[in-house]
Amino acid sequence: MKSKRVLYISQEIFPYLPETEISKLSRNLPQFIQERKNEVRLFMPRYGLINERRNQLHEVIRLSGINMIINNNDHPLIIKVASIPSARMQVYFIDNDDFFKRKSLYGPDNKGANDNDERSIFFVRGALETVKKLRWIPDLIHCHGWFTALAMIYLKKVYHDDPCLKKAKFIFTIYNDEEQCVMPEELFEKLKFDNIKTPSVAMMEGKTDYKALMRLAIHHAHGVVQGSEHIDPELMAYIEKTNTPFLPYQGTEDYADAYNEFYDKIV
C-alpha cells in the first residue's frame, strides 16, 4: 500500500478537550494511521475552554497573519500548535478572539447571538488555508463532527481549483452528536458571500438543523464513515440513496486496518 498524506479536521481532540466519542477517535485514529507509514496533520479549534499553559500551546508566527473575510468582515487567523509527545504528533489550533475566546464549545457570543455559521466557516477555511501555507498537499481530508460539515462544500466549490487541495479526496464521519448542533438560518447568506450558490445546498431543503448539515456533508463527500454505534436511520437511508462509499461502525478497538483500507479505496 502506497503511503498517504491524511489531513484530519476535527471539532474535538483529546486530551485538549474531555474524552468523548469524537475526541477519542480524533486522537487515536491519526496515530494508528501514522504508524502505518502515512503522514498526518491534525486541526481543531482553539476553544476558550482549552488551557494553553497546561497544554503548552504556542503561536506559530509564520503561519499566523492571514486575514479571512467572513460575511464582509475581516478576522485575523491565528495558528497555535501543541505536541502529543506519546504519539509524536502535532496538533494545529485555529484561533481568533471573535470566535474562540469564549468559555464554551458551541455557545453564543458575548451578545447572546448564535454565530456558529461564521465560526464553522472560519474554522474549516482556516484549516485549509493553513495547509496551503504549509505547502503540504494532502491525498485525503477526513473531517469529524457536525462543526466540520461545511468543509465538504468548501472543498467541492471554493477550493476545487486550488493546486494544493484539488486532488484531495474527502471523507466525513457522522456521529450521534445532534444535541450540540445549533446552526443559524443566516448560514445560507454567509455561504453566498463565498459564491456558494443555492443549487449546491439544495439537499438541505432550506434548513440548518443537524440532519440538513449531515445531508450536505454526505452529498459532497467522497466517502462517509459511521463514527457512532447508532446514527439516525434517515441519514443511513440518505447515504444509501446517494450511493456514497461507506464504512460502517468499527467499534472502539482494532479499527485501524479497516480505516486504512477504506482510505486506500477512496484515494
Side-chain angles (χ1 to χ4, degrees), residues 3-15:
S3 170
K4 300 173 290 294
R5 287 180 160 195
V6 186
L7 169 63
Y8 291 94
I9 301 176
S10 179
Q11 64 193 39
E12 299 166 32
I13 299 173
F14 181 80

Side-chain angles (χ1 to χ4, degrees), residues 1 32-33 36 250 254-263:
M1 287 181 209
F32 296 151
I33 293 301
R36 280 153 181 77
Q250 295 297 309
D254 300 327
Y255 49 72
D257 287 332
Y259 275 87
N260 205 29
E261 284 163 22
F262 187 64
Y263 287 175

Side-chain angles (χ1 to χ4, degrees), residues 155-223:
L155 283 160
K156 188 68 87 63
K157 298 295 175 186
V158 179
Y159 291 93
H160 59 286
D161 282 336
D162 188 275
C164 183
L165 298 166
K166 66 182 180 184
K167 289 184 179 172
K169 302 290 185 193
F170 23 104
I171 290 175
F172 184 74
T173 291
I174 297 181
Y175 295 90
N176 191 9
D177 59 337
E178 183 170 359
E179 282 178 23
Q180 298 175 322
C181 179
V182 190
M183 188 68 83
E185 289 174 11
E186 289 79 11
L187 169 67
F188 297 112
E189 289 306 312
K190 316 287 168 66
L191 293 177
K192 276 181 194 165
F193 188 82
D194 286 329
N195 214 20
I196 295 171
K197 298 185 169 68
T198 305
S200 302
V201 294
M203 72 298 301
M204 295 180 76
E205 298 169 0
K207 297 174 184 166
T208 56
D209 59 13
Y210 171 79
K211 285 183 192 172
L213 267 180
M214 294 303 101
R215 288 196 301 273
L216 176 80
I218 294 162
H219 181 88
H220 292 290
H222 293 114

Side-chain angles (χ1 to χ4, degrees), residues 1 4 6 8 21-22 24-26 28-30 32-33 36 38 140 142-144 171-175 224-228 246-267:
M1 287 181 209
K4 300 173 290 294
V6 186
Y8 291 94
E21 201 166 42
I22 299 178
K24 199 173 163 187
L25 188 64
S26 298
N28 294 330
L29 176 61
F32 296 151
I33 293 301
R36 280 153 181 77
N38 301 295
L140 194 79
H142 190 169
C143 295
H144 292 260
I171 290 175
F172 184 74
T173 291
I174 297 181
Y175 295 90
V224 174
V225 175
Q226 180 179 342
S228 298
F246 178 65
L247 181 67
Y249 182 64
Q250 295 297 309
T252 55
E253 292 175 23
D254 300 327
Y255 49 72
D257 287 332
Y259 275 87
N260 205 29
E261 284 163 22
F262 187 64
Y263 287 175
D264 284 330
K265 178 180 162 189
I266 300 295
V267 169

Side-chain angles (χ1 to χ4, degrees), residues 52 55-61 79-83 90-91 93:
E52 291 201 21
N55 291 296
Q56 297 184 337
L57 271 68
H58 61 269
E59 186 175 347
V60 187
I61 304 295
I79 306 299
K80 292 175 180 169
V81 73
S83 295
Q90 282 192 320
V91 177
F93 294 83

